[in-house]
Amino acid sequence: MEWRDEGIVIGLKRHGETSAIIETLTRAHGRHLGLVRGGRGARFQGLLQPGNSLGLVWRRAGRFIASGLALAGVTYLGALLRLLPERDPHEALHEALEIVADHLDMADVAPALLARFEMQVLAECGFRLDLESCAASGARDDLIYVSPKSGRAVSAAAGAPWRDRLLALPAFLRADKDSGAAPDRGEIADAFRLTGFFLERNLFGARGLPMPDSRRAFLAAAMK
């Protein structure tokens, strides 16, 4: 969503290293907060002062300012997507990103969408998790674990002797088992523990990078 309007700056505060959040009273849309990337730089200092009148373009991210969950989520998405090779096309990932971004401020659906998106990023980078059948028996039912070595699903029966070494597989991450109901906190925690293991080992860690603080901030907000 996007709109354009005239607004008078009525407030300003820092955001991160280089950006600023401005508060404006607009002609047609009332009072709004907005993120100005690079807003703390020299070229913006004279513009973003209380009392100044500005021409504004408000895009989707504007509504994220009021949501700690969404702010952490959009920051984390940036860190996650920087793992992709530059200039490689990822059309399916772009479509998925549109869906995630549209729901980042919705606490009942954003965590599940982001966990699925992490799985898709892993797949796009060559580390797809195989959750279709049991790595040990080939069974397609009762898949409740994932092997940390292979990234393949494991059934309850086959995994029982090694359950302490396996990662939990919440049902909502399997497309054929998604009931449409929002997963509970335990399932969300299991999902991010699962994706986080492979992201840290195969993507962030492999590049000598720590897991982003924004991911932890998103999880903390999601678990409130």
Side-chain angles (χ1 to χ4, degrees):
M1 182 175 70
E2 176 178 317
W3 50 256
R4 296 170 183 267
D5 202 351
E6 297 175 8
I8 298 173
V9 179
I10 59 175
L12 176 72
K13 64 180 179 180
R14 298 169 56 178
H15 179 72
E17 293 292 327
T18 61
S19 298
I21 294 174
I22 62 169
E23 185 177 13
T24 63
L25 182 65
T26 67
R27 181 183 297 277
H29 295 84
R31 186 173 66 89
H32 266 275
L33 298 176
L35 175 68
V36 181
R37 299 191 184 280
R40 293 177 58 199
R43 75 187 186 96
F44 284 108
Q45 285 183 359
L47 293 174
L48 304 182
Q49 297 298 319
N52 280 359
S53 181
L54 303 175
L56 304 173
V57 179
W58 191 94
R59 296 187 176 93
R60 173 196 290 136
R63 77 176 199 270
F64 293 166
I65 302 301
S67 168
L69 179 72
L71 274 176
V74 76
T75 302
Y76 173 55
L77 283 169
L80 187 61
L81 291 169
R82 290 186 193 100
L83 298 171
L84 298 173
E86 187 177 358
R87 300 180 183 177
D88 274 6
H90 297 276
E91 292 185 13
L93 202 59
H94 183 273
E95 292 178 6
L97 179 62
E98 286 280 354
I99 295 171
V100 176
D102 279 340
H103 296 83
L104 265 184
D105 57 344
M106 300 171 62
D108 56 336
V109 296
L113 288 174
L114 188 50
R116 291 193 185 101
F117 188 77
E118 288 184 323
M119 285 181 52
Q120 194 166 349
V121 170
L122 282 165
E124 292 275 335
C125 291
F127 300 102
R128 185 177 71 88
L129 303 184
D130 184 352
L131 309 180
E132 300 301 317
S133 61
C134 176
S137 66
R140 292 181 174 270
D141 296 322
D142 207 16
L143 303 177
I144 64 170
Y145 303 116
V146 174
S147 165
K149 291 184 178 180
S150 67
R152 294 191 60 189
V154 180
S155 70
W162 299 280
R163 60 181 177 271
D164 293 338
R165 303 179 187 176
L166 300 173
L167 297 162
L169 171 58
F172 80 90
L173 288 184
R174 294 188 59 207
D176 61 329
K177 296 296 183 182
D178 186 3
S179 66
D184 61 29
R185 288 187 178 185
E187 292 171 311
I188 291 296
D190 285 341
F192 279 95
R193 193 174 299 114
L194 170 64
T195 54
F197 175 85
F198 292 101
L199 285 168
E200 184 170 21
R201 186 183 72 181
N202 298 328
L203 294 182
F204 287 104
R207 291 163 171 77
L209 300 172
M211 291 292 280
D213 289 339
S214 52
R215 187 179 194 267
R216 287 187 286 274
F218 178 85
L219 285 173
M223 295 300 178
K224 284 184 179 179

